[in-house]
Amino acid sequence: MAGVVKAPAPGAFAITPHKVSLCILVHTYASPSQISVPFPFSSVSQHNRLGLYLLALTKSCDDILEPKLDQLINQLREIGGLLDDWLTDHVTSRLSSLSAPDDLFNFFNELRETLGGPDSGVMDDDQVILDPNSNLGMFLRRCILAFNLLTFEGICHLLTNIGIYCKEAISSSSYEHRLDDSGNDLESLSEYENMDLNLVFKKINEEMEARKKATEQVSFHLHLPKDLSTLVEDVEVFADPKPEHNEKGGESSSYASGDLLRDVDPDGGVFLRTNWQIQGYLMEQADAIEKHGSSFTFNAFELTLRQLQKLAPEFHRVHFLRYLNNLYHDEYFSALENLHRYFDYSAGTEGFDFVPPAGSNDFGRFEIALLCLGMMQFHFGHPKRALEVLTEAVLVSQQQCNDTCLAYTLAAICNLLSEIGFSTTSGILGSPFSPMTNVGTSLSVQQQLFVLLNGSLKKAESLKLKQLIAANNLAMAKFGLTHVQRPLLSFGPKISMKLRTCPIVVCKELRSGYHLISDFCCEGSTMTTDGAFSTAWLKNLQKPMGSLVMSQDNGSGNNSNPFLFFTQPSSIPGSVLQLVGSSYLHRATAWEMYGSAPLARVNALVYATCFADASSSSDAVVVHVKLIQHLAAFKGYKEAFAALKIAEEKFLCASKSRILILKLQLLHERALHRGHLKLAQQVCDELGVLASSVTSVDLELKTEASLRHARTLLAAKQFSQAAAVAHSLFCMCYKFNLQVENATVLLLLAEIHMKSGNAVVGLPYALASLSYCQSFNLDLLKASATLTLAELWLSLGSNHSKTALTLLHGAFPMILGHGGLELCARAYITEAKCYLSDPSFSVSDNPELVLDPLRQAADELQALEYHELMAEAFYLMAIVYGKLGQLQQREEAASSFKNHIVALDHPHDADDPFLS
Amino acid sequence: MSSKESCRNELRTAIRQLSDRCLYSASKWAAEQLVGIEQDPAKFTPSNTRFQRGSSSIRRRFRTNEINSTPPTGVAYVSTPVMEEDEAIHGDFYLLAKSYFDCREYRRAAHVLRDQTGKKSVFLRCYALYLAGEKRKEEETIELEGPLGKSDAVNRELVSVERELSTLSKNNMIDPFGLYLYGLVLKEKGNENLARKVLVESVNSYPWNWSAWSELQSLCTTVDILNSLNLSNHWMKEFFLASVYQELRMHNEALSKYENLQGTFTFSNYLQAQIGKTQYSLREFDQVEVIFEDLLRNDPYRVEDMDTYSNVLYTKEYFSALSYLAHRVIMTDKYRPESCCIIGNYYSLKGLHEKSVMYFRRALKLNKKYLSAWTLMGHEYVEMKNTPAAVDAYRRAVDINPRDYRAWYGLGQAYEMIGMPHYALHYFQKSVFFQPIDSRLWIAMAQCYESEQLHMLEEAIKCYKRAANCNDTEAIALHRLAELHRELGQPEEAAFYYKKDLERMEAEEREGPNTVEALTFLATHYKTQKRFEEAEVYCTRLLDYTGPERETAKSLLRGMRIAQSGFPSMDVEHFHP
């Protein structure tokens, strides 16, 4: 009922049909001139129950998604018990009796009688009179006031709306019908309500929070940090298991918004309530989109947005949501269009709570548009264009003195640089950066990245942008993980060159990343950085903070219980949690690289269990991938494939890409082990196709694909080709500074040469790989390089078996402690071979020294179905048994050997559900 | 085309029928055309033709080629039978309803006709209901306006009207007017395909309802849609096609249609105004000015289309003429968007941008979808250096009509202004996409590419080339092309464009620093190419100018002579400062 109050006025509250029915209920609850337990109620507790329920309802009144009448009736049914029929009848009959404006006038007059006078201290004990200052009393007063402020036209509209409200409830089948339309089943009803209530109550909290904050300066852009944090982790978007609550929320709102948005007060005042609420709703949706990626239903949400836009054409945030929706569904052109539209309309100032005061309003904040555009281009795989745009963003931010945006832009650039391996940035990163780097553009990309990272971190620190700091810390850790820090200056007093990566630095960075969470805990409410509007509060209501009521309710499945309103949410915004979570993910990766399998697994598990709620689906996929890889390496393929199946179901549809890649990897490995080379090649080709995707070039995937190609060739004994592939791969990795991959490729080259019988040529490669591993602290890889080295020595002749054995024993702790099945088995076999080829070693003296490792190896290889190595193990065993004269065992070993050789020669894909 | 006399008769009947059904704007349009048909001077006394004194010499002067009034051969125009009038019985109720309708008491009118079943009555009842709904919708829009914009007010009668009309049309009980209304309702409900079909049916059976044609026109957003329409041939179709062409920016086609129509409807103000507008789009400002002057002389109280005239006056910077026009329209009708726009234009010309914005705002209050006001307001904000507001205004224009290249261009300019050339590119690309024949757009885009930040000269060259190909009146493109090629060290191309530029300047008899620059470059270039004769020609031409170039030319000449006379090649230039 606009038009009514133009000035900031108490009118930040509009009377709606739902509120009218609440008033009816309150009136019933506290009907004047009745005895202590008024008419319809049979007991005090019944009376109180209704009171509590009303209290909850009045608190939730400011939500944009007001419940419909039939929902209200449903809730009443649960609360009212025996009174249920009477109450519903009362409400509906009362509502439908309102047929003329005068009825409304009378009704509100009646309401006024319910309230006691301002000084009704003296109260008759038997009489129920609402204290005007109580919650319910306030509510009534607000309703009455809002009604009195209505113009006559407003009253007419209210009347019409009440009519619609009633009609909808009467034909409540229409509601079901709608649900059917949107492809939902009726069961979702309760779920939806639950969601609705959750939403409601979250909003109340936020709003209170936000009100406190409204006068203080709050910070930056709402969506940026989230975008960033997702980008920090990875660019791809993955799906979440079940597209549940949120999209239903989306859909439900599309029904609700139809007439509710009209009803909900459109009036301004200081807080712009409606605006506020829709913002909240949209923010939540934005989070949901981000979280669920492409599994978020595109069309339903688009529909909602379209409707919102129709209802509130001046509400531009809708365009941004549309952009997000398109972005995550890979609709390039409409995403671009909507991004531009949003920033054209909002000039970058809407939703940005922190607008520098110094007259900058005149110019708008278009640099933010650039920042978003850059990130979008990046998302769609146009890194070069993205860099151009971001460069412009840097320039404009500098011109406009928007340091916050500058910090974010720098972080975005860092992210871009670290994600996409540019061989060179000269010409792209031009002059605008020179003031920052002061060292010209002669630096390598990595060095530039380092400088930028530092700059960004400093900026973020000086501006106290906590999330950005955390994100930067993560980026730093990531950088520290894979890059040697070299001095930036090529002249002057040289600092002693440290040619190793520094795990301590990485650890420090990771740790400082999640100091953030403690900041949030102690600062509590002051930390609304990005959350002034955000509704992305923690959803861990069941966790310690959540009350008992909640969990009980969940148990009984009674989801629509209004007592939910009283539970307290944790005050940590989802984006922060996401950041903290991704620091665990980083840890897992770091440990993976440093070679501690258990620690990597533990961190991944921590992430999967503690941050599953807050994580974006992409992160969740990454964790699953890590865990499954771990399974495959330590438990064999059977379990890995079983887990993969679960993961596949969990991350349905859409961007299975990551899962798909994992599947291909596993299939490839297994095919190699089984000696099924044709299949291996086929899988490898598929991987190659994925790597040459049109959307963007994923270097990691590319190296992976060609690494596997080389492996396949090696297994097929096409040594020269394998060597050629590996060589070109090494060149590429070197060019793009992929250090870890460098080490791996070198190791592979060594292996190729060894297998081709050219151990002497292999040696330098193995040594080079070793030195790489050393400088990057890749302990596990180093152990396996040592193993290869030992094998090389061994193949140089029996007189080197001592050297080999020493090397091997040196690496044993690492291998046995952290290595996977294959590595251990290889080590065991090599050990046995060392002993056997040692002329001074006699089998008959100490047969267990050889037999034990061989048996171990055979056991471990069983899970991997690694026929080739198994055959080798059994062959050696047979020889040993032969020498020992244990004929029966020899025969057994020999027949096993034969079996494996046969299996190797005639690979058959045994019942493989994964082969498509 | 049918003879003038038959057109006249058809129109006369149509006007009666249309106004009998309260389709006033259609009947107004028809009447305008009726009077626009040239009278046979033999039959009429001067007093009759006085109304048509617009056959002024000025207009004749500009119609260089006498338009052939015979239609293209092979087109057979169907003669649609004039409809029979029915319903004498319930005529009284109808008369009452029509009177109510004329007094804008729509619901009352509908109520009177509640039990009538004749086609005419049904139509008027539905039409009255529809209008009542529209009226209420307008009111509600204002009542429900909030800070987030207009609420979703809808015409509440649409559903019932649609239901009734669709039943009627299924039972084949509907007349062309009913079909028109049905189409209107369908369009409003977003069912465009069916709306198009229904409207086509309506105009095929009753072609004189211009409102139906214009509804149909608004639904023809692409040429493909237009071609898919199955329209029977009638001279009204020509009007329709011309107007569609105009809207689809096929200006030349539109112009030829209009001029063809002028053969019959020689004095139609409507045609004249449309020709004026089309010429404006073709940037023939002189002609437009004459056309509108003439139009105003004949129809001094006209407000429609006068904003186009004011645009011309604005472009030509005719202060007093513009103020005179503004004065005139404001005396005629102050609350017309066109009037406000004209005043806005006047203030803009005076450099009073705040006031100008105020009037554009008023125009937009009167008609929120008034495209040119949004764009013009954007221009004003650009002048006021209020980029966000300008961007906002332009964006609204393109959201109303995404084909509005001027607004896209404005957006690009605004962003370029605040130092975001890369961001601006997106908008320039949009604008050239919708108007690829405008050299100014290409030049703007090229300049964007050229900017210091982007420095994408290759792309800039491509744009300039496009600009040079589309009749670059300001001759910027050729010059810049030459310069860019020179900067990129491509002397051959540079020479080519300098030469072209020179030729052009000669043709237009312009001279200036560009001439000197071109001559100097060409002279040196040919000299290094050892094509002394050509070099000499340019050098001698340079000698006609004063300044340092003259000296350069002299030294060049000297150098060449030395080289030609067989002396050891020695660069004389070196010895000169």
Side-chain angles (χ1 to χ4, degrees), chain A residues 303-414:
Chain A
L303 215 72
T304 313
L305 289 177
R306 212 169 287 159
Q307 201 163 1
L308 252 179
Q309 196 192 346
K310 217 166 134 202
L311 293 173
E314 298 298 316
F315 189 67
H316 306 309
R317 178 58 66 81
V318 173
H319 298 303
F320 191 80
L321 266 284
R322 271 189 154 172
Y323 153 68
L324 276 185
N325 201 16
N326 283 310
L327 180 75
Y328 282 91
H329 288 92
D330 292 335
E331 301 272 343
Y332 178 77
F333 287 105
S334 29
L336 186 69
E337 201 45 55
N338 279 306
L339 179 78
H340 278 285
R341 181 172 290 139
Y342 171 66
F343 283 104
D344 285 347
Y345 276 131
S346 68
T349 43
E350 188 196 72
F352 301 90
D353 312 309
F354 176 67
V355 177
S360 49
N361 283 335
D362 302 348
F363 303 107
R365 313 264 87 200
F366 291 108
E367 57 273 18
I368 297 168
L370 285 170
L371 176 54
C372 285
L373 182 65
M375 293 204 287
M376 188 199 89
Q377 300 279 19
F378 180 35
H379 179 97
F380 281 115
H382 306 298
K384 206 166 166 193
R385 219 179 240 183
L387 203 57
E388 282 166 10
V389 175
L390 289 175
T391 314
E392 193 164 298
V394 170
L395 261 180
V396 178
S397 319
Q398 281 172 339
Q399 271 168 18
Q400 308 281 330
C401 305
N402 189 347
D403 279 347
T404 320
C405 185
L406 186 59
Y408 276 100
T409 312
L410 289 181
I413 294 176
C414 293

Side-chain angles (χ1 to χ4, degrees), chain B residues 249 280-283 285 405-406 409 428 431-445 463 466-474:
Chain B
R249 303 193 184 286
Y280 176 75
S281 312
L282 290 168
R283 309 180 54 74
F285 297 136
Y405 68 95
R406 283 182 309 168
Y409 171 72
F428 284 130
S431 87
V432 294
F433 176 77
F434 289 116
Q435 181 79 349
I437 55 158
D438 195 330
S439 61
R440 291 168 304 164
L441 307 181
W442 286 109
I443 289 173
M445 190 148 115
C463 293
R466 291 293 301 255
N469 286 341
C470 24
N471 185 29
D472 170 24
T473 44
E474 285 146 78

Side-chain angles (χ1 to χ4, degrees), chain A residues 2 157 266 314 340 344-345 392, chain B residues 143 145 147-148 399 415 422 427:
Chain A
H157 282 295
E314 298 298 316
H340 278 285
D344 285 347
Y345 276 131
E392 193 164 298
Chain B
E143 283 167 25
E145 194 177 7
L148 300 177
D399 276 352
Y415 279 113
H422 198 282
Y427 298 101

